[in-house]
Short mmCIF file of all heavy atoms in Angstrom, two decimals:
data_model
loop_
_atom_site.label_atom_id
_atom_site.label_comp_id
_atom_site.label_asym_id
_atom_site.label_seq_id
_atom_site.Cartn_x
_atom_site.Cartn_y
_atom_site.Cartn_z
N LEU A 26 -0.62 -9.51 -2.67
CA LEU A 26 0.69 -9.41 -3.30
C LEU A 26 1.78 -9.33 -2.22
O LEU A 26 1.65 -8.54 -1.27
CB LEU A 26 0.79 -8.15 -4.17
CG LEU A 26 0.06 -8.14 -5.51
CD1 LEU A 26 0.19 -6.76 -6.14
CD2 LEU A 26 0.61 -9.20 -6.43
N PRO A 27 2.86 -10.10 -2.35
CA PRO A 27 3.99 -9.96 -1.43
C PRO A 27 4.62 -8.58 -1.59
O PRO A 27 4.89 -8.13 -2.72
CB PRO A 27 4.95 -11.07 -1.87
CG PRO A 27 4.13 -12.01 -2.68
CD PRO A 27 3.07 -11.18 -3.33
N VAL A 28 4.87 -7.91 -0.50
CA VAL A 28 5.40 -6.56 -0.56
C VAL A 28 6.81 -6.53 -1.14
O VAL A 28 7.25 -5.51 -1.69
CB VAL A 28 5.38 -5.92 0.85
CG1 VAL A 28 6.42 -6.55 1.76
CG2 VAL A 28 5.58 -4.42 0.77
N ILE A 29 7.50 -7.65 -1.07
CA ILE A 29 8.88 -7.70 -1.57
C ILE A 29 8.94 -7.47 -3.08
O ILE A 29 9.98 -7.09 -3.63
CB ILE A 29 9.54 -9.05 -1.21
CG1 ILE A 29 11.05 -8.98 -1.41
CG2 ILE A 29 8.93 -10.18 -2.03
CD1 ILE A 29 11.78 -10.20 -0.89
N ASN A 30 7.81 -7.67 -3.77
CA ASN A 30 7.77 -7.49 -5.22
C ASN A 30 7.40 -6.07 -5.64
O ASN A 30 7.32 -5.79 -6.85
CB ASN A 30 6.76 -8.46 -5.85
CG ASN A 30 7.17 -9.91 -5.70
OD1 ASN A 30 8.36 -10.21 -5.68
ND2 ASN A 30 6.20 -10.79 -5.57
N LEU A 31 7.16 -5.18 -4.68
CA LEU A 31 6.64 -3.85 -5.00
C LEU A 31 7.66 -2.76 -4.72
O LEU A 31 8.40 -2.81 -3.74
CB LEU A 31 5.38 -3.56 -4.19
CG LEU A 31 4.14 -4.42 -4.49
CD1 LEU A 31 3.02 -4.08 -3.52
CD2 LEU A 31 3.68 -4.22 -5.92
N GLU A 32 7.67 -1.73 -5.59
CA GLU A 32 8.44 -0.53 -5.32
C GLU A 32 7.54 0.69 -5.16
O GLU A 32 7.99 1.76 -4.77
CB GLU A 32 9.46 -0.27 -6.42
CG GLU A 32 8.86 0.03 -7.79
CD GLU A 32 9.94 0.29 -8.83
OE1 GLU A 32 11.14 0.21 -8.47
OE2 GLU A 32 9.59 0.55 -9.99
N GLY A 33 6.25 0.54 -5.49
CA GLY A 33 5.34 1.66 -5.35
C GLY A 33 3.90 1.22 -5.42
O GLY A 33 3.56 0.18 -5.99
N ILE A 34 3.02 2.02 -4.81
CA ILE A 34 1.57 1.82 -4.87
C ILE A 34 0.94 3.17 -5.18
O ILE A 34 1.20 4.17 -4.50
CB ILE A 34 1.00 1.27 -3.54
CG1 ILE A 34 1.69 -0.04 -3.15
CG2 ILE A 34 -0.51 1.07 -3.63
CD1 ILE A 34 1.27 -0.56 -1.76
N VAL A 35 0.11 3.19 -6.23
CA VAL A 35 -0.59 4.42 -6.61
C VAL A 35 -2.08 4.14 -6.51
O VAL A 35 -2.61 3.25 -7.19
CB VAL A 35 -0.22 4.85 -8.04
CG1 VAL A 35 -0.96 6.13 -8.42
CG2 VAL A 35 1.29 5.06 -8.16
N CYS A 36 -2.76 4.91 -5.65
CA CYS A 36 -4.17 4.65 -5.35
C CYS A 36 -5.08 5.70 -5.98
O CYS A 36 -4.94 6.90 -5.71
CB CYS A 36 -4.39 4.65 -3.84
SG CYS A 36 -3.49 3.36 -2.95
N PHE A 37 -6.02 5.23 -6.82
CA PHE A 37 -7.09 6.08 -7.34
C PHE A 37 -8.40 5.77 -6.62
O PHE A 37 -9.44 6.31 -6.98
CB PHE A 37 -7.28 5.82 -8.84
CG PHE A 37 -6.08 6.13 -9.69
CD1 PHE A 37 -5.08 5.19 -9.90
CD2 PHE A 37 -5.93 7.38 -10.28
CE1 PHE A 37 -3.98 5.47 -10.69
CE2 PHE A 37 -4.83 7.66 -11.07
CZ PHE A 37 -3.85 6.72 -11.27
N ASN A 38 -8.35 4.90 -5.63
CA ASN A 38 -9.56 4.45 -4.96
C ASN A 38 -10.06 5.48 -3.96
O ASN A 38 -9.34 6.39 -3.55
CB ASN A 38 -9.31 3.11 -4.27
CG ASN A 38 -8.15 3.17 -3.29
OD1 ASN A 38 -7.20 3.91 -3.50
ND2 ASN A 38 -8.22 2.38 -2.23
N ASN A 39 -11.32 5.30 -3.53
CA ASN A 39 -11.93 6.24 -2.59
C ASN A 39 -11.71 5.87 -1.14
O ASN A 39 -11.75 6.72 -0.26
CB ASN A 39 -13.45 6.33 -2.85
CG ASN A 39 -13.77 6.88 -4.23
OD1 ASN A 39 -13.02 7.70 -4.76
ND2 ASN A 39 -14.88 6.44 -4.80
N LEU A 40 -11.46 4.59 -0.87
CA LEU A 40 -11.42 4.11 0.51
C LEU A 40 -10.04 4.15 1.14
O LEU A 40 -9.90 4.05 2.35
CB LEU A 40 -11.98 2.69 0.59
CG LEU A 40 -13.42 2.53 0.09
CD1 LEU A 40 -13.88 1.08 0.24
CD2 LEU A 40 -14.36 3.46 0.85
N GLY A 41 -8.99 4.27 0.31
CA GLY A 41 -7.65 4.44 0.86
C GLY A 41 -7.00 3.16 1.34
O GLY A 41 -7.23 2.07 0.80
N ALA A 42 -6.20 3.30 2.42
CA ALA A 42 -5.41 2.18 2.92
C ALA A 42 -5.32 2.25 4.44
O ALA A 42 -5.46 3.33 5.03
CB ALA A 42 -4.01 2.21 2.31
N SER A 43 -5.04 1.11 5.04
CA SER A 43 -4.94 1.07 6.50
C SER A 43 -3.65 1.74 6.98
O SER A 43 -2.67 1.82 6.24
CB SER A 43 -4.97 -0.38 6.99
OG SER A 43 -3.74 -1.02 6.71
N LYS A 44 -3.65 2.19 8.21
CA LYS A 44 -2.47 2.84 8.77
C LYS A 44 -1.30 1.86 8.88
O LYS A 44 -0.14 2.25 8.80
CB LYS A 44 -2.78 3.46 10.12
CG LYS A 44 -3.22 2.47 11.19
CD LYS A 44 -3.61 3.20 12.47
CE LYS A 44 -4.09 2.23 13.54
NZ LYS A 44 -4.49 2.94 14.78
N TYR A 45 -1.61 0.58 9.04
CA TYR A 45 -0.55 -0.42 9.16
C TYR A 45 0.14 -0.64 7.81
O TYR A 45 1.35 -0.85 7.75
CB TYR A 45 -1.13 -1.73 9.70
CG TYR A 45 -1.76 -1.56 11.06
CD1 TYR A 45 -3.14 -1.56 11.21
CD2 TYR A 45 -0.97 -1.35 12.20
CE1 TYR A 45 -3.73 -1.37 12.46
CE2 TYR A 45 -1.55 -1.16 13.45
CZ TYR A 45 -2.92 -1.17 13.57
OH TYR A 45 -3.48 -0.97 14.80
N LEU A 46 -0.64 -0.60 6.73
CA LEU A 46 -0.04 -0.70 5.41
C LEU A 46 0.81 0.55 5.13
O LEU A 46 1.91 0.45 4.60
CB LEU A 46 -1.11 -0.85 4.33
CG LEU A 46 -0.59 -0.87 2.89
CD1 LEU A 46 0.32 -2.06 2.66
CD2 LEU A 46 -1.73 -0.87 1.89
N MET A 47 0.30 1.70 5.51
CA MET A 47 1.07 2.94 5.32
C MET A 47 2.40 2.87 6.07
O MET A 47 3.45 3.25 5.54
CB MET A 47 0.26 4.15 5.82
CG MET A 47 -0.97 4.45 5.02
SD MET A 47 -1.80 5.94 5.65
CE MET A 47 -3.34 5.88 4.74
N ALA A 48 2.36 2.35 7.30
CA ALA A 48 3.58 2.24 8.10
C ALA A 48 4.58 1.29 7.44
O ALA A 48 5.78 1.56 7.40
CB ALA A 48 3.24 1.77 9.51
N MET A 49 4.09 0.17 6.92
CA MET A 49 4.98 -0.78 6.27
C MET A 49 5.61 -0.17 5.02
O MET A 49 6.80 -0.35 4.76
CB MET A 49 4.22 -2.07 5.91
CG MET A 49 5.10 -3.12 5.23
SD MET A 49 4.30 -4.73 5.01
CE MET A 49 3.03 -4.31 3.82
N CYS A 50 4.82 0.55 4.23
CA CYS A 50 5.35 1.19 3.02
C CYS A 50 6.42 2.22 3.39
O CYS A 50 7.47 2.31 2.74
CB CYS A 50 4.22 1.84 2.23
SG CYS A 50 3.11 0.67 1.42
N ALA A 51 6.16 3.01 4.43
CA ALA A 51 7.13 4.01 4.85
C ALA A 51 8.42 3.36 5.34
O ALA A 51 9.53 3.80 5.01
CB ALA A 51 6.52 4.90 5.94
#
């Protein structure tokens, strides 16, 4: 998904997210 289309991500998963994705979201 292009990040430009998102205002939020809610994770119920066990594996989480990469630090680079976290940095981009922040």
Side-chain angles (χ1 to χ4, degrees):
L26 286 175
V28 71
I29 194 172
N30 295 328
L31 294 175
E32 65 180 1
I34 303 174
V35 180
C36 297
F37 298 87
N38 56 328
N39 297 329
L40 301 181
S43 74
K44 62 184 179 181
Y45 300 106
L46 176 63
M47 293 182 190
M49 180 171 68
C50 288

